[in-house]
């Protein structure tokens, strides 16, 4: 399996001939991703991410850590934080930034020796669920990682705004599947990689959380149909 996202991150950090990283989805055109942005500092993060980091407490697991910017910030603030990512090259980048605890694993395969007080899933944290019908499986896994009194801080977006508006004020959305299920394509150094990626509207996340024994609280909404939610047992 290719690891183009991790390769772009590691190449950029080590200045190993970094090249543009292009993204595309089944409902959007090709766009160049600024890899430097993945290494952003707290002041350059969106308000949703800043709020999530401010709400973090106790032992923290940064799921889908990527380039590690959230873990770096929290570690600097004195938190015990673990960076978790399925990408070996992303985790190598985290190690190079001296993040103390780094684990290369998918979320579902992750078997920790301890549980956590805060689980962070940022930059469309629901994306790793892949498909709507996988949501319960992932929520149960997340639930199993929590200490008593723990929290899951997760963000996503309602993609309804991406679809044309009908005369009656509704939206023209596909009649097959959930409209937040996308195919995501990465292109880097002449190679392509495709994978499913899920955006969940808040009501759907809330209903799924309740069905899986979790309370769901809307913490803050952004300007582009994005939001931060907190899930607790």
């Amino acid at each position: 399996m290719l690891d183009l996202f991790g390769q772009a991150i590691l190449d950029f950090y080590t200045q190993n001939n970094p090249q543009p990283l292009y993204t595309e989805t089944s409902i959007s055109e090709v766009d160049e991703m600024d890899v430097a942005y993945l290494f952003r500092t707290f002041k350059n993060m969106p308000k949703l991410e800043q709020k999530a980091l401010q709400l973090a407490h106790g032992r923290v697991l940064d799921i889908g850590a990527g380039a590690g910017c959230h873990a770096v910030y929290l570690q600097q603030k004195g938190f015990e934080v673990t960076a978790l990512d399925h990408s070996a090259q992303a985790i190598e980048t985290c190690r190079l930034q001296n993040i103390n605890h780094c684990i290369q694993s998918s979320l579902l395969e992750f078997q920790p020796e301890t549980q956590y007080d805060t689980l962070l899933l940022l930059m469309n944290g629901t994306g790793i669920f892949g498909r709507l019908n996988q949501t319960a499986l992932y929520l149960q896994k997340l639930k199993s990682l929590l200490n008593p009194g723990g929290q899951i801080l997760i963000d996503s977006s309602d993609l309804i705004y991406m679809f044309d508006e009908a005369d009656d004020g509704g939206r023209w959305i596909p009649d097959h599947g959930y409209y937040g299920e996308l195919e995501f394509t990465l292109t880097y150094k002449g190679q392509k990689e495709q994978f499913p990626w899920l955006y969940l509207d808040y009501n759907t996340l809330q209903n799924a959380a309740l069905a899986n024994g979790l309370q769901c609280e809307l913490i803050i909404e952004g300007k582009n149909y994005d939001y931060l939610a907190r899930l607790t047992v």
Side-chain angles (χ1 to χ4, degrees), residues 80-149:
E80 180 184 334
V81 57
T82 298
L84 177 74
D85 204 291
H86 72 91
S87 164
Q89 294 178 98
I91 287 300
E92 176 60 20
T93 307
C94 289
R95 291 194 179 103
L96 290 172
Q97 294 174 91
N98 298 314
I99 296 172
N100 294 331
H101 306 287
C102 302
I103 299 174
Q104 189 261 313
S105 173
S106 69
L107 175 58
L108 293 181
E109 294 173 340
F110 178 48
Q111 299 296 329
E113 297 178 357
T114 185
Q115 290 176 299
Y116 297 89
D117 303 298
T118 298
L119 306 180
L120 282 181
L121 297 94
L122 300 178
M123 284 194 75
N124 187 44
T126 66
I128 62 171
F129 301 174
R131 301 289 184 203
L132 182 62
N133 64 10
Q134 296 289 299
T135 300
L137 177 65
Y138 277 89
L139 289 179
Q140 287 294 332
K141 178 65 178 184
L142 292 170
K143 187 177 174 182
S144 75
L145 299 176
L146 284 177
N147 274 325

Side-chain angles (χ1 to χ4, degrees), residues 3-23 31-41 44 65-69 89-90 93 97 123 186-189:
D3 179 15
L4 299 184
F5 194 66
Q7 184 183 352
I9 288 170
L10 185 58
D11 285 352
F12 180 87
Y13 188 75
T14 61
Q15 287 301 294
N16 179 29
N17 186 29
Q19 294 184 21
L21 174 67
Y22 297 100
T23 65
D31 188 35
E32 182 176 344
M33 176 180 281
D34 181 7
V35 179
Y37 180 71
L38 302 175
F39 294 87
R40 60 196 174 279
T41 60
N44 292 320
C69 64
Q89 294 178 98
T93 307
Q97 294 174 91
M123 284 194 75
L186 292 176
T187 304
Y188 184 66
K189 291 188 174 180

